[in-house]
């Protein structure tokens, strides 16, 4: 465990090598103990479940920026264990990832929402004899990060969040916010609400939550594209987090690891449970554990309960799917896709999630994911 933590810290310090706008994670460190006697990189302690099999060459993938921090660690561990293999993930958006997948330019895509029927139909053009399917791989809370001078703790409920992002509540000392935060001195600072500018699965999950938990306050349909009036737009989870970090009075939504890595304070959700619920991987897991498989056959799309009032369950969650062909994957990358996804779905791969603010996929569902991966053709 100590060695794993040391390697993770070293990986954060070194960062990623960016090639052609995509992330290529290196496994080399600056200390001699990161290499074997012949100069090759040592695998981290998380590499125990990595089986390289016939993996080879370069695997291109793209999509969800919400899973960026998780997939960076996965790629680092995988490439350290499997020499001669390069996994190249472009962190953009779920929408861009699905477009790339259906154009046949990537081996798999990351998406924070399941494929729509029309996208499945389109995928049949590139999945010869098969179609695109959804494999749930990364779970986690969507944090509502805030930056309000003098305020360190903030409770909000779904209706108040909806009214903030729907441009109905404009000041931080609004009565609706004060009622949820007794004893907290709230300034009259103007609220600066930030949302995603790109088509985003994170946006779709946030709007699904608002539509389900506060239907009277959120009149818009759940969608990848932001529909509410007002607010300011930024590109990607990283872009929204950067704006919240810099702007006094700001609030925005992004995956929890973006808040943790930048020291951004996050909202506790008043769900109707005995106490407001913090955005943590453990609390998100409690909500995701109640998810049901809504897909059929090899498709493992999930139906989440955004209205849960279970104690300690954080309902504003997302699940990132890795989108692949059930049949008809490219022969030149199939072995690498299966090898890499077998690792991400392994016990070691899922453990990486919990250690970095994400939520592992529930064991019963993850067992089905592993079974489907072995049958990919």
């Amino acid at each position: 465990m100590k060695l794993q933590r040391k390697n993770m810290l070293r990986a954060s310090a070194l960062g990623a090598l960016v090639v052609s706008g995509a992330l290529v994670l290196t496994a080399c460190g600056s200390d001699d103990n990161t290499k074997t006697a012949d100069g090759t990189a040592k695998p981290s302690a998380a590499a125990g479940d990595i089986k390289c099999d016939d993996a080879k060459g370069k695997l291109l993938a793209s999509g969800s920026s919400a899973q960026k921090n998780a997939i960076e660690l996965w790629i680092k561990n995988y490439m350290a264990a499997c020499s001669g293999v390069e996994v190249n993930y472009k962190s953009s958006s779920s929408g861009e990832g699905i477009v790339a997948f259906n154009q046949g330019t990537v081996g798999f895509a990351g998406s924070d929402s399941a494929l729509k029927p029309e996208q499945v139909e389109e995928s049949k053009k590139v999945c010869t004899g098969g179609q695109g399917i959804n494999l749930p791989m990364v779970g986690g809370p969507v944090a509502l990060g805030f930056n309000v001078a003098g305020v360190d703790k903030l409770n909000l409920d779904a209706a108040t969040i909806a009214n903030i992002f729907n441009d109905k509540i404009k000041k931080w000392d609004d009565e609706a916010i004060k009622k949820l935060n007794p004893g907290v001195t709230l300034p009259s600072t103007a609220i600066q609400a930030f949302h995603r500018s790109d088509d985003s699965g994170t946006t779709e999950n946030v709007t699904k939550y608002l539509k389900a938990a506060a239907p009277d306050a959120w009149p818009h349909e759940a969608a990848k594209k932001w529909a509410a009036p007002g607010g300011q737009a930024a590109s990607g989870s990283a872009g929204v987090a950067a704006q919240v970090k810099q702007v006094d009075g700001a609030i925005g939504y992004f995956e929890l690891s973006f808040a943790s890595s930048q020291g951004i304070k996050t909202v506790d959700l008043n769900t109707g449970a005995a106490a407001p619920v913090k955005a943590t991987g453990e609390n998100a897991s409690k909500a995701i554990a109640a998810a049901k498989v809504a897909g059929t056959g090899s498709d493992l799309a999930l139906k989440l309960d955004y209205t849960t009032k279970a104690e300690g369950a954080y309902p504003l969650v997302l699940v990132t799917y890795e989108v692949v062909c059930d049949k008809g994957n490219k022969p030149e990358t199939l072995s690498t896709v299966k090898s890499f996804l077998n690792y991400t779905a392994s016990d070691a791969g899922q453990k990486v999630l919990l250690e970095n603010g994400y939520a592992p996929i529930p064991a019963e569902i993850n067992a089905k994911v592993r079974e489907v991966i072995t049958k990919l053709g």
Side-chain angles (χ1 to χ4, degrees):
M1 179 65 73
K2 291 182 179 179
L3 178 57
Q4 181 181 13
R5 188 177 301 279
K6 181 178 179 181
N7 282 343
M8 287 179 180
L9 292 172
R10 184 180 295 114
S12 298
L14 289 174
L17 174 64
V18 180
V19 178
S20 302
L23 293 168
V24 182
L25 278 298
T26 63
C28 300
S30 58
D31 299 333
D32 289 339
N33 63 3
T34 65
K35 296 183 178 181
T36 61
D38 63 0
T40 58
K42 288 181 179 179
S44 77
D49 285 359
I50 297 177
K51 295 178 176 61
C52 303
D53 297 325
D54 297 323
K56 58 186 176 181
K58 180 183 290 187
L59 171 61
L60 301 179
S62 69
S64 164
S65 64
Q67 72 169 356
K68 171 181 178 289
N69 295 328
I71 208 162
E72 284 188 3
L73 288 168
W74 278 338
I75 293 173
K76 171 187 173 289
N77 291 338
Y78 182 79
M79 287 174 57
C82 300
S83 60
V85 180
E86 182 180 304
V87 181
N88 192 314
Y89 184 83
K90 180 181 179 182
S91 173
S92 52
S93 68
S94 298
E96 290 183 35
I98 290 173
V99 168
F101 178 77
N102 280 340
Q103 290 177 340
T105 60
V106 295
F108 71 88
S111 177
D112 305 326
S113 57
L115 293 167
K116 302 289 190 293
E118 62 271 19
Q119 292 169 332
V120 173
E121 192 62 31
E122 187 179 356
S123 74
K124 294 177 181 178
K125 298 175 184 177
V126 295
C127 300
T128 306
Q131 65 182 43
I133 58 172
N134 305 281
L135 300 180
M137 200 67 70
V138 183
V142 180
L144 291 164
F146 69 94
N147 179 3
V148 183
V151 179
D152 293 322
K153 182 175 174 57
L154 186 67
N155 300 325
L156 295 175
D157 60 15
T160 306
I161 295 165
N163 285 325
I164 286 172
F165 281 100
N166 208 27
D167 207 29
K168 300 291 187 183
I169 295 177
K170 300 178 183 291
K171 300 283 187 178
W172 279 109
D173 61 351
D174 187 276
E175 287 301 320
I177 301 177
K178 290 168 68 174
K179 185 178 179 180
L180 293 166
N181 295 276
V184 176
T185 302
L186 294 162
S188 60
T189 306
I191 293 175
Q192 307 287 337
F194 287 90
H195 58 264
R196 292 279 291 271
S197 61
D198 45 340
D199 285 3
S200 160
T202 308
T203 294
E204 185 168 14
N205 281 277
V206 169
T207 54
K208 281 181 178 178
Y209 164 73
L210 294 175
K211 188 70 175 177
D216 294 337
W218 190 258
H220 315 287
E221 292 303 315
K224 288 186 174 71
K225 188 173 182 62
W226 187 258
Q232 302 174 62
S235 179
S237 295
V240 176
Q243 291 299 317
V244 173
K245 176 79 171 178
Q246 296 168 9
V247 178
D248 184 29
I251 185 170
Y253 58 87
F254 33 81
E255 194 278 325
L256 179 62
S257 67
F258 289 91
S260 303
S261 63
Q262 299 187 49
I264 299 172
K265 296 182 285 289
T266 61
V267 170
D268 294 349
L269 290 184
N270 186 327
T271 65
V277 185
K278 294 185 178 299
T280 68
E282 291 85 352
N283 290 344
S285 288
K286 293 176 184 177
I288 295 172
K292 306 296 183 185
V293 175
T296 58
S298 296
D299 184 80
L300 298 177
L302 301 179
K303 181 176 177 58
L304 299 169
D305 180 7
Y306 296 101
T307 62
T308 180
K309 294 179 174 60
E311 297 300 325
Y314 184 88
L316 181 46
V317 296
L318 60 76
V319 169
T320 293
Y321 301 94
E322 311 309 343
V323 177
V324 295
C325 298
D326 57 355
K327 301 295 180 185
N329 290 280
K330 295 179 180 180
E332 62 269 26
T333 57
L334 175 59
S335 59
T336 307
V337 167
K338 293 176 70 172
S339 171
F340 179 69
L341 294 184
N342 269 323
Y343 164 57
T344 64
S346 70
D347 290 339
Q350 291 291 298
K351 185 178 180 183
V352 166
L353 297 181
L354 193 57
E355 292 173 348
N356 290 276
Y358 292 91
I361 300 301
E364 182 179 348
I365 296 171
N366 196 41
K368 296 178 181 178
V369 172
R370 296 180 192 178
E371 183 179 349
V372 170
I373 292 171
T374 64
K375 297 177 181 178
L376 295 178

